[in-house]
């Protein structure tokens, strides 16, 4: 007695692949009260000065002064108020790594500025 084999299921549409109908994008008609929106930067817009979001120093081993390191293994982000080099930061990032030359394990720390996330409004 042989085991029955499963027959492949026939497609419901008779084996013909049908393309999905494409829908044109709806056009916005220009009316006096609702003109069409322009894309891109507005004419006459000034270039804004953006404050630095992060200061990253070369990661050096305190024992052998080498900059060669292994991959970062763990990342910890700590929100708060920090001051470094006369500037204020709101995020401290600690990443675990080790020196590939001498094998010393260390934690690299960077400071970043992230915009405040909007909270719930009541």
């Amino acid at each position: 007695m042989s085991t029955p084999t499963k027959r492949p299921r026939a497609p419901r549409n008779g084996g013909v692949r049908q393309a999905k109908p494409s829908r044109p994008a709806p056009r916005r008609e220009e009316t006096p009260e609702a003109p069409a929106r322009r894309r891109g930067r507005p004419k006459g817009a000034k270039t804004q000065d953006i404050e630095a979001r992060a200061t990253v120093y070369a990661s050096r081993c305190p024992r052998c002064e080498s900059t060669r390191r292994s991959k970062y293994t763990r990342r910890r982000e700590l929100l708060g108020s920090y001051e470094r080099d006369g500037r204020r930061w709101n995020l401290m990032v600690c990443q675990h790594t080790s020196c590939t030359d001498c094998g010393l394990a260390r934690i690299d720390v960077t400071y970043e500025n992230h915009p405040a996330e909007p909270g719930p409004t009541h």
Side-chain angles (χ1 to χ4, degrees):
M1 194 169 181
S2 65
T3 59
T5 57
K6 289 188 178 181
R7 216 171 40 168
R9 178 183 277 177
R12 293 182 186 189
N13 60 0
V16 179
R17 294 186 92 188
Q18 296 176 351
K20 290 183 179 179
S22 62
R23 294 182 186 168
R27 292 191 164 236
R28 183 175 172 188
E29 295 181 19
E30 291 188 33
T31 59
E33 57 272 352
R37 293 183 182 164
R38 291 186 171 188
R39 290 183 161 185
R41 183 175 175 174
K43 289 184 179 179
K46 302 281 184 184
T47 303
Q48 297 177 355
D49 291 331
I50 298 174
E51 187 177 334
R53 286 194 62 176
T55 299
V56 180
Y57 300 100
S59 170
R60 290 196 178 271
C61 176
R63 183 188 295 167
C64 66
E65 299 290 322
S66 172
T67 57
R68 296 177 58 201
R69 61 167 177 81
S70 63
K71 291 183 179 180
Y72 289 124
T73 55
R74 287 189 285 171
R75 179 182 173 102
R76 189 175 51 206
E77 296 180 353
L78 302 169
L79 286 171
S81 179
Y82 306 99
E83 188 168 335
R84 168 113 186 218
D85 298 332
R87 299 186 66 178
R88 298 194 64 77
W89 308 99
N90 63 2
L91 180 70
M92 181 171 63
V93 180
C94 305
Q95 299 178 12
H96 293 250
T97 186
S98 62
C99 178
T100 56
D101 292 340
C102 68
L104 180 72
R106 67 177 192 262
I107 301 172
D108 288 345
V109 179
T110 56
Y111 296 91
E112 299 178 7
N113 264 333
H114 282 273
E117 295 182 13
T121 56
H122 296 284

